[in-house]
Amino acid sequence: EVQLLESGGGLVQPGGSLRLSCAASGFRFSTSSMNWVRQAPGKGLEWISYITSSGDTVYYADSVKGRFTISRDNAKDTVFLQMHSLRVEDTAVYYCAKTGGANWFDPWGQGTLVTVSS
Amino acid sequence: DIQMTQSPSTLSASVGDTVTITCRASQTISTWLAWYQQQPGRAPKLLIYKASSLQSGVPSRFSGSGSGTEFTLTITSLQPDDFASYYCQQYDNYPWTFGQGTKLEIK
């Protein structure tokens, strides 16, 4: 069974940092591109970052560019999201999602909540 | 960026009804469109990709159509589990963008 399990969320003050992890199982992680998508409380979905299977190409949404860094460890079947200079508006549930055949998202992890507040 | 606009934002229906949700793209995206269902407190689940291809395991009462800038998701014979939020997503061009969502409520 394909599974994605996020961890690392929590409460952080504005300006702080946090590192999210997403552990994958049930599929060939090293040949799969991956994404992070977030959802603010009561709001819609926002794609924020993408990484190719080898990690040589990454993309970011403008809202996080320069503050967030996506990376992966194919030996550990894990993708990461390092978040710096966090803002109140970064408060959201963060999901990791495997890229489908083109660039749809399937499956998704259960999400991890990041709360940025003083 | 490509803007995706869904309508309606909220839809009330009864078990057994047929409903249609529309998604419009701000520029043509061919058929590079996916639909997701999200139950409260749960992660989104892929329903449809490439505008009309049904994801494995998804009931056939879900169907998608459209190309270019206008797309629809139709759900026939609504079941209690179908009352959820639905999102379209374009993957024609980075950054990948979602519609604002449609909440399907029980009438």
Side-chain angles (χ1 to χ4, degrees):
Chain A
E1 181 191 2
V2 175
Q3 280 198 319
L4 298 169
L5 186 61
E6 301 95 335
S7 60
L11 175 63
V12 61
Q13 292 189 336
S17 299
L18 213 54
R19 189 196 199 203
L20 306 183
S21 300
C22 171
S25 61
F27 65 99
R28 194 178 295 179
F29 180 79
S30 61
T31 62
S32 300
S33 57
M34 298 293 295
N35 301 269
W36 287 96
V37 179
R38 69 183 180 183
Q39 186 171 36
K43 302 297 184 183
L45 300 166
E46 179 189 18
W47 168 85
I48 57 171
S49 191
Y50 162 93
I51 187 168
T52 53
S53 58
S54 63
D56 60 353
T57 299
V58 297
Y59 297 143
Y60 299 98
D62 286 347
S63 58
V64 306
K65 201 174 293 182
R67 301 186 299 122
F68 291 11
T69 302
I70 191 170
S71 63
R72 64 190 295 155
D73 183 341
N74 284 346
K76 296 183 177 179
D77 291 352
T78 302
V79 61
F80 304 99
L81 187 68
Q82 178 68 55
M83 305 185 293
H84 293 298
S85 303
L86 282 161
R87 305 167 180 167
V88 171
E89 55 265 35
D90 293 320
T91 295
V93 174
Y94 286 72
Y95 296 100
C96 69
K98 177 178 171 295
T99 302
N103 284 303
W104 61 81
F105 307 123
D106 179 65
W108 300 57
Q110 88 291 346
T112 188
L113 176 62
V114 172
T115 303
V116 185
S117 174
S118 54
Chain B
D1 297 3
I2 298 174
Q3 308 302 317
M4 306 301 292
T5 304
Q6 287 181 232
S7 60
S9 295
T10 307
L11 182 55
S12 296
S14 301
V15 172
D17 285 354
T18 294
V19 297
T20 297
I21 299 169
T22 298
C23 178
R24 290 186 172 87
S26 61
Q27 63 189 70
T28 183
I29 58 169
S30 183
T31 56
W32 304 122
L33 185 102
W35 288 98
Y36 301 88
Q37 177 194 65
Q38 187 178 32
Q39 302 282 1
R42 304 288 300 273
K45 170 189 168 185
L46 177 69
L47 298 175
I48 302 278
Y49 60 93
K50 207 166 183 295
S52 60
S53 295
L54 193 67
Q55 172 68 347
S56 175
V58 174
S60 59
R61 63 179 181 273
F62 292 90
S63 63
S65 65
S67 66
T69 61
E70 187 152 337
F71 303 85
T72 59
L73 173 70
T74 299
I75 314 170
T76 60
S77 187
L78 278 170
Q79 300 300 300
D81 264 358
D82 299 338
F83 293 93
S85 293
Y86 293 85
Y87 294 90
C88 61
Q89 176 234 336
Q90 68 81 19
Y91 52 93
D92 178 64
N93 255 326
Y94 151 85
W96 327 133
T97 48
F98 292 89
Q100 82 280 13
T102 294
K103 185 175 183 180
L104 177 56
E105 299 180 329
I106 299 177
K107 190 183 289 184

